[in-house]
């Protein structure tokens, strides 16, 4: 069982223990993955997304754009987001495509 599946099981056990019904939607609205900003980012993102799918998480989101900075580097590369401030797709963008 993956860490994502373990977390989901723990959350659902708590929901059942408290008697909440029906089962709430499981949304992951902010997350990251190991290796962001490296050449492995796309593969690691895909692995994490598959973990959400296999665990049956209802929805997950990821920031499309890098954190904005008033003076970005010419072709700077921040570790967050799928598109650089200059509009260049990163490997993670191709995973989503």
């Amino acid at each position: 069982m993956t860490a994502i599946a373990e977390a989901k099981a723990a959350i659902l056990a708590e929901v059942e223990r408290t008697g909440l019904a029906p089962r709430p939607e499981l949304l992951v609205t902010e997350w990251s993955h190991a290796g962001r900003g490296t050449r492995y980012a796309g593969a690691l993102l895909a692995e994490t997304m598959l973990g959400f799918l296999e665990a049956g998480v209802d929805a997950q989101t990821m920031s499309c754009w890098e954190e904005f900075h008033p003076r970005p580097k010419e072709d700077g590369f921040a570790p967050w987001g799928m598109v650089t401030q200059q509009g260049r797709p990163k490997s993670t963008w191709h995973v989503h495509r």
Side-chain angles (χ1 to χ4, degrees), residues 6-20 23 26:
E6 289 173 6
K8 178 186 173 185
I11 290 167
L12 292 179
E14 184 64 16
V15 167
E16 187 173 318
R17 186 190 70 74
T18 60
L20 293 175
R23 175 191 165 286
L26 298 176

Side-chain angles (χ1 to χ4, degrees), residues 40-64:
Y40 305 108
L44 294 167
L45 173 74
E47 178 182 45
T48 303
M49 291 174 66
L50 285 172
F52 284 128
L53 179 67
E54 291 169 356
V57 171
D58 295 312
Q60 52 83 21
T61 62
M62 182 178 180
S63 173
C64 290

